Amino acid sequence: MEFTLSTSDDKIKHRLLRRQLRRIFGSEIEPEGYWSTLLQAVSDAYHDADNERQLLENALEVSAMELTETNKKLRLIIDAAPAGIVMLDREMRYLFANRRWLQDHRLNIQDIVGKSHYEASPTMPARWKEALQRCLAGATESCEEDAIVQPDGSVEWVRWEARPWYAADGVAGGVILIAEDITERKRAEEQLRIAAVAFQSRDGMLVTDARGTILQVNQAFTQVTGYSAEEAIGRTAALLHSGRQDVTFYRTMWEAITREGHWEGEIWNRRKDGGIYPEWLSISGIRDAVGRITHYLGTFSSISDPKEAERKILELAFYDSLTSLPNRHLLLDRLQQALAASARSGQFGAVLLLDLDHFKTVNDTRGHAVGDELLIEVACRLSGTLRETDSTARLGGDEFVVLVEGLHTEQAVAATIAETIAEKLRLAIGQPIPLQGGARHITPSIGITLFRGQDKGADTLLKQADIALYQAKDAGRNTIRFYNAAMQAVVDMRVEMEAGLRRALAEGELLLHYQPQVDANGGMIGAEALLRWQPPGQAMVSPAVFIPVAEDSGLIVPIGSWVLDTACHQLAIWAKSPATRNLVLSVNISAGQFRQPDFIDEVKSALQHSGAHPAHLKLELTESLLLEDVEKVIRTMMALRNLGIGFAIDDFGTGYSSLAYLKRLPLDQLKIDQSFVRDIAIDADDRAIVTAIISLAGSLGLEVIAEGVETVAQRDFLAAHGCQAYQGYLYGKPGPADQIDQQIRSGSAPHACLF
Ligand code: C2E
Ligand code: MG
Ligand code: MG
């Protein structure tokens, strides 16, 4: 009989048959061939079975397949669980173990098949066995952290839970055990505990995030800085900045941290109470797995013993960092003590205020490093010249103060001693100072005020010394002056004058007068422009009075600029008339004006705006101007010379012109100072000087003009010695421009007064 299965029911039946056969015969039986008859018989038997049962069996089969699928999924999930899971029967034999369990216990599936949990874990502690037994009795056992000592002595940690599982009959079939290896977590916690203990060290510590925001500080941090954790957290470390390190310092520090992950060094920080203190700071960047800095750890310890730190702080507060001399703070303190001592002893003391002449030029021309070198040397010379009991302090810049006590009970004697001390200091500083790039000669101006008792406060004494110093500067520098009440009046007047000058400039109270300059025959060859200030309703103010104020206040720059414009304008007017078109106008230029970086442009613009001819403009410079930074002076002069402008040295003979560089300057004229001319008739020295200047000018190929010529005798002497040009009251006093015009036009040329 042919065995065929044609319907889907038949296919199911066939599968069921094969299973029955397998059950009966214990192995797979092929339904075809020999067995086909038997199969057919069985098949028939099934055929006879009730349809309902068959359908039920079909459904069961499908459910079984579905169940297998679900089982597979569950198995996957259980295998992937981060904890080890085992199912044990009542005898603690393994029914199931997930992959994690096998991994954690370093077991293969073969190692546990048919074995009991006790056999697989021979070192299992008794308490666990007891717990498993309690589970069989229905308890659920667990432990959050359990240490397992490994055979090699190391400790591993687990978190476990054991609970019974129940068979269909409701009896506990065994135990399900879930165990999680928490060794790594325990190690990390341990590290954290160690770090936490270390964090509470005696050194101040702070942790910031990558942006520098403080996340954590320790107790020592609070003790040192005064900021509690609550006050510091959330702020940045800039909270501690003392301002003693500049931007470059911090930039270099952060560059090192970013580059090397670490920086350490000395730093000054500020406490909450404002006090600053030195510390040794170490900063480390903490990186994440990909190497990005996520946090910074800062540790700071005091630099040395607290006494040393305190000494440093005191030094900073009371001593000048450049020269190590006491600063203003300490000086005032000592001055107070000196006043009290003087009140007790009845002896005079003195405050000497020193300022270096033209120190700014050293800084400008030789650089600040050389300037500093010079200040240090001056400080040494001051200290070296004085007695141990005298105090020297640096107020800042190039200003020094010397405090001498116990001079004398007589004011006049005390003043003499103070003057002697000042003179010694002046000479000591005046010696050439060896510096990088060559020795330098510098002189001081010194203001002195005396004190006895406590009538005047320390501040008042310093102000008085300052006024005396001002006078010393005014008297030509490298000079000593004492304070007296009259000086105060002068100072007050200066302040008033400065305000007045500003107004004068703004409101057109300035004007130029012109004084004729004549040749050997008395013919007018030019004039000198001389500045005048005419305040409304008041007497005209002499430039000898207000020019020094303008120079000190810097007003000389705008004033000088106005003079140049006005003088050039006058030249342009003269150029229009044949009588005056050849006149050369001399204009006085102050050092401060000449050194302006845009001086050349200023002169050019004055010429351009007025249309004046450069060859008719002569600039009068003083010898002191020529002394500073000769090379730069020559460059400026050459640039102007190339435009056609001439140069004269004013007041020649009163300064310290060196022949060596006089030769190098593009000069046209030397102007003999009127102080030599004045006494020509009576002073043999002046005669000698004048003759020397005339012959010097001759040998240098320069013209020579004498100023302040008032008498015929003076003129004759000068003429006899070769002077070719003159200026002075003999030829005309300075006056408005139209006075020159009149003199020239009326034919009453200045020389007319001569003959
Ligand atoms: P200085 O350049 O040496 O000018 C000569 C001074 O001598 C002028 O004084 C002039 O009036 C005066 N003088 C001329 N002839 C005689 C004379 O025969 N006898 C006497 N006793 N004096 C005579 P002034 O006008 O008072 O000027 C004083 C100083 O003020 C000038 O000395 C100059 O250094 C300065 N000065 C004047 N105008 C200016 C200016 O526009 N700019 C600058 N920077 N300084 C100026
Ligand atoms: Mg002059
Ligand atoms: Mg002069």
Side-chain angles (χ1 to χ4, degrees), residues 519-538:
D519 62 15
N521 304 316
M524 202 190 296
I525 48 173
E528 178 175 6
L530 291 159
L531 186 57
R532 298 291 178 262
W533 175 18
Q534 177 63 80
Q538 289 176 40

Side-chain angles (χ1 to χ4, degrees), residues 358 591 595 621-628 655-657 661:
H358 304 299
R595 286 208 200 92
L621 309 178
T622 54
E623 283 175 282
S624 59
L625 180 154
L626 305 172
L627 275 173
E628 299 296 343
Y656 304 91
S657 299
Y661 73 72

Side-chain angles (χ1 to χ4, degrees), residues 512-513 515 528-532 541-548 551 556 559-560 562-564 587-591 593 620 622 650-651 671 673-674 678 707-711 714 727-734:
L512 282 189
H513 274 184
Q515 184 177 31
E528 178 175 6
L530 291 159
L531 186 57
R532 298 291 178 262
V541 187
S542 159
V545 175
F546 70 80
I547 290 284
E551 283 175 338
I556 194 65
I559 290 179
W562 177 88
V563 169
L564 265 173
V587 175
N588 294 285
I589 302 293
S590 282
Q593 187 187 357
E620 289 192 8
T622 54
D650 204 356
D651 307 335
K671 200 167 186 184
D673 188 65
Q674 52 177 293
R678 193 188 311 125
E707 68 179 359
V709 182
E710 293 183 356
T711 65
Q714 287 166 343
Q727 178 184 339
Y729 294 169
L730 183 62
Y731 302 96
K733 290 196 168 179

Side-chain angles (χ1 to χ4, degrees), residues 27 30 35 47 56 65 67 93 104 106 112 183 221 544 641 667 699 710:
S27 65
E30 284 304 311
W35 294 98
H47 221 96
L56 198 67
M65 282 159 69
L67 211 61
R93 277 191 304 257
D104 286 352
R106 297 171 200 90
I112 60 167
T183 311
F221 172 95
R641 185 33 155 350
L667 286 172
S699 60
E710 293 183 356

Side-chain angles (χ1 to χ4, degrees), residues 722-740:
C723 182
Q724 311 107 348
Y726 312 93
Q727 178 184 339
Y729 294 169
L730 183 62
Y731 302 96
K733 290 196 168 179
D738 47 5
Q739 184 183 300
I740 298 273

Side-chain angles (χ1 to χ4, degrees), residues 42 123 134 153 160 221 233 287 306 311 322 374 463 472 475 509 534 551 595 603 626 665 688 692 731:
V42 179
T123 55
R134 284 196 295 276
W160 59 262
F221 172 95
I233 290 170
R287 294 181 192 273
R311 192 191 62 73
L322 180 70
L374 189 142
K463 269 190 204 124
E509 296 170 16
Q534 177 63 80
E551 283 175 338
R595 286 208 200 92
V603 179
L626 305 172
L665 298 172
Y731 302 96

Side-chain angles (χ1 to χ4, degrees), residues 201-223:
S201 80
R202 287 184 53 186
D203 288 342
M205 285 181 162
L206 73 161
V207 178
T208 75
D209 64 13
R211 295 151 61 110
T213 307
I214 300 175
L215 302 177
Q216 215 180 335
V217 299
N218 69 356
Q219 194 57 39
F221 172 95
T222 302
Q223 278 159 9

